[in-house]
Amino acid sequence: MTDTALDKTFDPAAIEAKWYAHWEQGGLFRPARPDATPYTIVNPPPNVTGSLHIGHALDNTLQDVMIRYERLRGKDALWVVGTDHAGIATQMVVERQLEAKQDKRTNYSREDFIAKVWEWKAESGGTITRQLRRLGCSMDWSREQFTMDPHFTRAVVKVFVDLYNRGLIYRDKRLVNWDPKLKTAISDLEVETREVNGGFWHFKYPLADGVTRVDGLDYIEVATTRPETMLADMCVAVHPDDARYQSVIGKDILQPLTGRRFKVVADEHADPELGSGAVKITPGHDFNDFEVGKRAGIKPADMLNMFDAEAKVVQTADGLVPAEFVGLDRFDARALVVQRMKEAGFLIPHVTKDKDGAETEHDAEPRTIQTPFGDRGGVVIEPWLTDQWYVNAAELAKAPLEAVRSGAIEIVPKTWEKTFFNWMENIQPWCVSRQLWWGHRIPAWYGSDGAIHVAETEEEAQAKAGPGVTLERDNDVLDTWFSSALWPFATLGWPDESALAARHYPNDLLVSGFDILFFWDARMMMMGQAMTGKNPWPRLYLHGLVRAADGQKMSKSKGNVVDPLGLIDQYGADALRFFMAAMESQGRDVKMDEKRVEGYRNFATKLWNAARFCQSNGIGASASITAPAATSAVNKWIIGEVVETVAALDQALADLRFDAAANAIYHFVWDQFCDWYIELIKGNFDAETKAVAGWVLDQILVMLHPFMPFVTEELWSKLGDRADYPLITAQWPQPGAAVDAAAKAEVDWLIALIGNLRTAKNELGIAPGAKLDAFLPDPSDATRGIIARNPAAIERLARLNGIRFEAAPAGAAMQVGAGDANIIVPLEGVIDIAAEKARLEKALAVAQKEAKSLEGRLSNPAFVEKAKPEAVEKARADHAMHTAEAERLAAALARLG
């Protein structure tokens, strides 16, 4: 990379591909630093099927900010990268490809189908890793990981076997989220709740043996949104304190369609205030009912199942489901159940009245039902009782709970700790088996003698089973969250005694979306402690979601999804990255705002133009890490500003306040350097100033690099011949200087004078370039000295014909403050005072009227509570704008006296 003049126009696209290739090919993402302090982050592995979405852009930007920052601080910074094999998603992709060719998975052996998945990965599985490169992620691609790599698979198998041998993995019959389309159990994260128009049916269940309630009724009313499940009902629950049912608790009741007899049981799950206060219990097909059934003494093995893997009705173990229902789809069965119950007189109709009082009977009360759907299969999820493999999560949760309580793991922001404790203290067994072909096959073999043998290899399993026992391997694979829970250490070579693992585990930080706190983060804590005896990292940073501009969650159905690659194409990766960092405020979601992304592209352009200006005036790369010697106030001042900005950045990043860090460097670059320092030194490029300006520009490029790596590396390369010292591996600023209080006071005085005078001119409609007279009787010695030392800046930037130390002539004038000085600027002959007053008074009245009107609307609870949120937000913004305008106009009037 040679030292050449900067192009006139900043073009992000022209430099991004060039620099990323240079960094990666040069091994600069992981320079050899064997003696440096290690710093490690593991990237949440995206699905191998995935494409970069806006959430990835936020998550990876924050990680890259930290890894580039620590690399610049001289650490052995390792950012582990890789992809997840994404069992369901990947299998679906390949199955769809087969379907497009009128083919299907079951036409192949398991081994042949898996071979096709590997073929797909080789051809199409690198999309998201290419896209991460476009974002500028400085990951260690030389060690790119994949959760199905042989070394990783070996780690997964070892963990399963070890936990099984310790009694922490077991096989059990429990309810799972079952996807009838994909025919597999799925995790809670793969379930999305949708609102569906449904019904709420009420039925009579007759009491057996002539028993009646205290009110004389011989039945109990139950209500349900899923009538088909009554074919597997096993009891009716009432609250133990509900006086209406005290006499029938423990008595038998009949399910009308099946004739099944079961008990009325007392359980606090039944709410006396809801409906009849009685609940039909189907323990094999409802998560709440499962727990009620267990409390009622029904063993999971004895709970009735009425569905097959496709959610079609099957005969229950007691053989009481009428034959006409067997084989029906669940929703067809629902309609037939309602029909038969109605024909038999057990349906209690829902009655409505029209405006004339005429009654109409309906089979069900219309309801909007929160219904679980599989996010991949797209069909309604069925709670299904099956034999699956489970992890004793409650036992594994103990160490992470203690780690967070003791402070050994810090969750940032701290507000998430309460949610973490609540979930972990009430954690349920973790179902880790999936009915798929693609994934880590469970290392369990079933012997012909009925025994289960868990081992790392089939040879070990056979040795356990003994000679003559035929073994058949479990067909299921492990939940992908099981393997990704090992990510912090299995990616580093565990279980081998690798030098990499010894050096980089535990990691230093995990950056994660809050939405996977339980599915991934907590499970990494569990597995880290269970398998290594160490916490995976000491800090966990949880960021929010990226939402649409109006605050709504992004979704394809709403059409409000933002493509980060489109933003990169339009504004450059640096602008998108800076937006993500600047908007990432702890505990808050990020609202997408394309105008701000554009604004940060303009910020990069401003820096580019400032660098061009410096270069054209002989200012280039500094040869010094520490600040050059300075004698002039403006040079001492800008060095002090660098010192303060470095400190602010270090503190913000130590606190993981990405917004504060981004804003600190933004305001230093835009305000102090570009708007003031460059303006103040124009026309005075002596050797000292060139040295200081070049040094400050270098510090800017280093400090800004973690946020905007591309434009900073380009400028770094063009401002001096330092091909063997690229910015990505340069040193973090060490100014070796202090803030000079006197210089700071002097330059702050000048800035106040110039800024306040410009504001006053704007308020009074005076042309910015108009040169005015100014008077300052009896200045302090300090102010007199500042004015005496800076006549050129005062004339050129404040546009004053000097400042006279005498009383101002009589007549209209405005006063402008700077430090302890109150400078008087005559206005006679500059503007028409009367006309200007009239204009300002008229504009002030309009602004005050608008502000008062909006204040009235905002103080009306009916508006604030009932209007659309965006309308309320706009009213608040408009009120703030008109209030500020009124204050500005009032200040302008006050200047005129």
Side-chain angles (χ1 to χ4, degrees):
M1 304 291 173
T2 58
D3 175 21
T4 57
L6 286 164
D7 292 338
K8 185 175 181 180
T9 304
F10 168 53
D11 179 8
I15 64 175
E16 289 176 2
K18 173 185 76 173
W19 280 113
Y20 200 93
H22 176 75
W23 293 328
E24 186 174 357
Q25 291 163 12
L28 298 177
F29 295 148
R30 184 90 196 292
R33 292 176 175 174
D35 300 323
T37 302
Y39 183 84
T40 313
I41 295 178
V42 295
N43 180 49
N47 286 352
V48 69
T49 57
S51 294
L52 192 76
H53 58 62
I54 201 72
H56 289 134
L58 171 63
D59 193 68
N60 286 282
T61 292
L62 302 183
Q63 292 174 73
D64 201 31
V65 166
M66 293 306 299
I67 215 77
R68 287 180 182 270
Y69 170 65
E70 296 294 358
R71 189 186 294 119
L72 289 166
R73 293 176 76 201
K75 293 185 181 179
D76 176 16
L78 169 62
W79 189 6
V80 175
V81 62
T83 50
D84 190 283
H85 64 277
I88 293 176
T90 307
Q91 183 161 316
M92 283 184 66
V93 166
V94 178
E95 288 200 51
R96 285 198 198 104
Q97 285 188 344
L98 292 176
E99 289 169 5
K101 300 173 183 177
Q102 285 74 51
D103 203 352
K104 58 183 178 180
R105 170 174 59 91
T106 51
N107 288 342
Y108 298 86
S109 68
R110 183 180 190 131
E111 291 71 23
D112 288 345
F113 176 77
I114 290 173
K116 285 192 170 295
V117 180
W118 280 107
E119 287 174 13
W120 172 87
K121 180 186 181 293
E123 294 172 3
S124 309
T127 298
I128 196 162
T129 57
R130 290 191 296 272
Q131 293 168 340
L132 287 170
R133 288 172 166 91
R134 288 204 62 195
L135 188 63
C137 297
S138 57
M139 296 156 160
D140 182 13
W141 296 105
S142 69
R143 294 192 61 262
E144 183 177 350
Q145 303 286 299
F146 182 53
T147 50
M148 288 288 285
D149 283 341
H151 74 276
F152 205 97
T153 297
R154 189 163 65 87
V156 171
V157 170
K158 176 176 173 54
V159 170
F160 187 95
V161 174
D162 285 0
L163 292 180
Y164 176 83
N165 290 336
R166 289 157 59 183
L168 294 170
I169 284 184
Y170 56 93
R171 193 161 171 80
D172 196 9
K173 185 182 287 291
R174 294 178 62 90
L175 279 184
V176 297
N177 295 310
W178 186 262
D179 188 315
K181 181 177 180 180
L182 303 180
K183 300 185 188 67
T184 181
I186 62 174
S187 72
D188 290 342
L189 188 65
E190 294 158 325
V191 177
E192 60 181 27
T193 301
R194 304 178 193 170
E195 290 188 346
V196 174
N197 293 328
F200 196 47
W201 288 266
H202 296 253
F203 300 103
K204 297 177 184 178
Y205 274 25
L207 291 157
D209 306 322
V211 171
T212 59
R213 291 162 32 182
V214 291
D215 56 8
L217 293 177
D218 61 355
Y219 67 87
I220 290 178
E221 178 183 338
V222 297
T224 180
T225 59
R226 299 165 64 214
E228 67 278 10
T229 60
M230 69 173 59
L231 298 174
D233 280 353
M234 297 189 74
C235 58
V236 168
V238 297
H239 195 278
D241 299 330
D242 194 331
R244 295 171 293 178
Y245 302 114
Q246 289 294 310
S247 64
V248 298
I249 292 174
K251 304 297 185 183
D252 281 3
I253 194 167
L254 295 172
Q255 202 296 310
L257 290 183
T258 62
R260 186 178 298 118
R261 289 173 71 105
F262 41 72
K263 299 294 183 183
V264 178
V265 302
D267 194 285
E268 293 184 353
H269 171 65
D271 185 347
E273 303 299 320
L274 289 179
S276 68
V279 185
K280 66 181 235 23
I281 301 299
T282 318
H285 296 285
D286 183 275
F287 288 101
N288 289 322
D289 291 6
F290 179 78
E291 298 300 329
V292 174
K294 287 200 299 181
R295 290 193 290 270
I298 305 172
K299 297 177 181 178
D302 296 330
M303 293 177 181
L304 297 175
N305 171 55
M306 57 167 285
F307 288 130
D308 64 12
E310 295 180 330
K312 292 181 178 179
V313 178
V314 295
Q315 186 55 265
T316 52
D318 60 7
L320 294 178
V321 174
E324 65 177 332
F325 291 97
V326 174
L328 291 181
D329 173 80
R330 53 186 163 164
F331 299 115
D332 294 333
R334 175 180 298 179
L336 187 58
V337 163
V338 172
Q339 180 184 336
R340 293 290 182 257
M341 288 290 280
K342 183 177 182 179
E343 291 169 351
F346 293 109
L347 174 70
I348 301 172
H350 173 66
V351 179
T352 59
K353 292 183 180 180
D354 62 19
K355 59 183 180 181
D356 299 320
E359 294 186 347
T360 303
E361 290 188 353
H362 307 273
D363 288 350
E365 173 188 352
R367 285 277 182 96
T368 300
I369 312 295
Q370 299 292 324
T371 306
F373 281 76
D375 66 349
R376 303 285 183 186
V379 299
V380 176
I381 294 305
E382 194 64 46
W384 201 40
L385 194 64
T386 60
D387 290 309
Q388 302 282 348
W389 289 93
Y390 290 88
V391 171
N392 184 344
E395 184 62 31
L396 292 184
K398 291 177 180 177
L401 278 166
E402 177 54 30
V404 176
R405 286 196 187 100
S406 69
I409 292 179
E410 176 193 8
I411 297 179
V412 183
K414 192 177 178 65
T415 48
W416 280 106
E417 283 188 3
K418 182 178 180 181
T419 306
F420 173 81
F421 289 138
N422 183 60
W423 190 77
M424 294 287 273
E425 288 165 355
N426 297 282
I427 199 166
Q428 297 297 306
W430 173 17
C431 176
V432 293
S433 45
R434 299 290 182 267
Q435 290 63 52
L436 302 168
W437 282 2
W438 172 245
H440 298 106
R441 194 167 179 181
I442 290 175
W445 285 262
Y446 301 93
S448 52
D449 57 358
I452 300 177
H453 305 283
V454 173
E456 293 189 33
T457 65
E458 186 169 2
E459 290 74 20
E460 290 177 17
Q462 190 67 63
K464 287 184 176 185
V469 177
T470 303
L471 296 181
E472 182 176 347
R473 188 168 184 175
D474 195 309
N475 280 318
D476 291 352
V477 299
L478 285 164
D479 176 15
T480 52
W481 293 106
F482 184 92
S483 51
S484 61
L486 319 183
W487 197 247
F489 53 90
T491 53
L492 300 173
W494 185 93
D496 296 334
E497 295 293 327
S498 76
L500 196 66
R503 182 167 172 77
H504 290 278
Y505 185 84
N507 312 154
D508 290 272
L509 171 69
L510 180 75
V511 176
S512 164
F514 72 82
D515 52 335
I516 54 173
L517 170 59
F518 307 122
F519 298 104
W520 190 48
D521 307 344
R523 287 167 176 168
M524 282 188 286
M525 296 186 205
M526 294 181 197
M527 290 301 191
Q529 276 283 355
M531 303 313 300
T532 72
K534 299 176 183 177
N535 297 316
W537 12 256
R539 300 183 89 187
L540 166 61
Y541 182 82
L542 298 172
H543 60 75
L545 301 176
V546 182
R547 295 185 175 273
D550 59 3
Q552 291 193 61
K553 191 171 182 178
M554 290 187 187
S555 71
K556 290 179 181 177
S557 61
K558 293 177 183 175
N560 61 357
V561 173
V562 174
D563 176 17
L565 298 176
L567 293 173
I568 291 173
D569 289 339
Q570 191 165 2
Y571 304 111
D574 285 333
L576 177 60
R577 288 168 60 103
F578 202 92
F579 169 81
M580 290 301 179
M583 299 301 289
E584 171 53 29
S585 180
Q586 288 182 10
R588 298 178 62 184
D589 289 339
V590 173
K591 284 187 180 179
M592 195 62 230
D593 184 346
E594 191 170 331
K595 278 293 181 187
R596 291 197 71 148
V597 180
E598 182 180 10
Y600 292 129
R601 195 270 314 276
N602 296 342
F603 169 61
T605 300
K606 189 176 183 78
L607 175 61
W608 182 274
N609 291 336
R612 285 185 65 243
F613 173 81
C614 288
Q615 190 180 62
S616 67
N617 284 281
I619 297 168
S622 174
S624 173
I625 296 295
T626 56
T631 57
S632 75
V634 70
N635 286 332
K636 290 179 180 179
W637 166 76
I638 196 66
I639 290 170
E641 293 296 306
V642 169
V643 171
E644 291 185 335
T645 304
V646 171
L649 277 170
D650 285 337
Q651 187 60 58
L653 292 176
D655 296 338
L656 299 176
R657 290 303 307 252
F658 296 96
D659 53 345
N663 289 328
I665 185 61
Y666 178 90
H667 288 297
F668 173 68
V669 173
W670 192 289
D671 300 335
Q672 273 74 13
F673 185 73
C674 293
D675 280 359
W676 290 114
Y677 180 68
I678 287 180
E679 289 302 313
L680 288 167
I681 66 172
K682 277 182 179 177
N684 184 32
F685 295 108
D686 57 21
E688 175 188 305
T689 299
K690 286 183 178 181
V692 170
W695 178 83
V696 173
L697 187 51
D698 272 4
Q699 308 317 298
I700 285 172
L701 298 180
V702 177
M703 290 188 287
L704 186 58
H705 181 74
F707 305 91
M708 292 183 146
F710 293 110
V711 66
T712 52
E713 189 77 82
E714 176 74 1
L715 293 174
W716 180 269
S717 73
K718 294 292 181 67
L719 290 171
D721 184 10
R722 41 191 174 191
D724 60 341
Y725 188 60
L727 177 57
I728 190 173
T729 52
Q731 288 189 46
W732 188 249
Q734 300 173 40
V739 175
D740 186 308
K744 183 176 179 63
E746 180 165 326
V747 177
D748 284 350
W749 191 96
L750 288 171
I751 289 173
L753 170 67
I754 297 163
N756 291 340
L757 191 57
R758 287 172 176 173
T759 299
K761 282 183 169 181
N762 181 57
E763 288 172 350
L764 297 176
I766 301 172
K771 294 191 75 172
L772 306 176
D773 296 326
F775 298 84
L776 178 60
D778 302 319
S780 66
D781 290 343
T783 298
R784 186 185 292 270
I786 292 172
I787 294 170
R789 287 190 295 273
N790 295 278
I794 290 172
E795 180 180 354
R796 183 168 54 85
L797 299 177
R799 305 298 293 163
L800 292 177
N801 297 311
I803 300 175
R804 301 181 207 174
F805 301 140
E806 59 187 65
M814 65 178 178
Q815 296 186 9
V816 177
D820 62 358
N822 202 19
I823 297 165
I824 300 167
V825 179
L827 295 176
E828 291 289 346
V830 177
I831 57 172
D832 184 329
I833 304 296
E836 186 60 22
K837 274 189 175 183
R839 183 187 73 79
L840 291 170
E841 286 168 351
K842 183 178 179 180
L844 176 61
V846 171
Q848 288 174 331
K849 182 180 178 182
E850 289 291 338
K852 187 174 182 180
S853 172
L854 287 160
E855 184 180 349
R857 292 178 71 190
L858 290 167
S859 61
N860 181 358
F863 170 71
V864 175
E865 294 168 9
K866 295 178 181 178
K868 291 182 178 180
E870 53 267 33
V872 177
E873 190 64 32
K874 185 177 187 306
R876 286 182 176 139
D878 289 348
H879 177 259
M881 180 190 71
H882 288 296
T883 301
E885 177 69 358
E887 291 171 355
R888 184 188 71 78
L889 293 166
L893 274 169
R895 290 187 195 279
L896 295 178

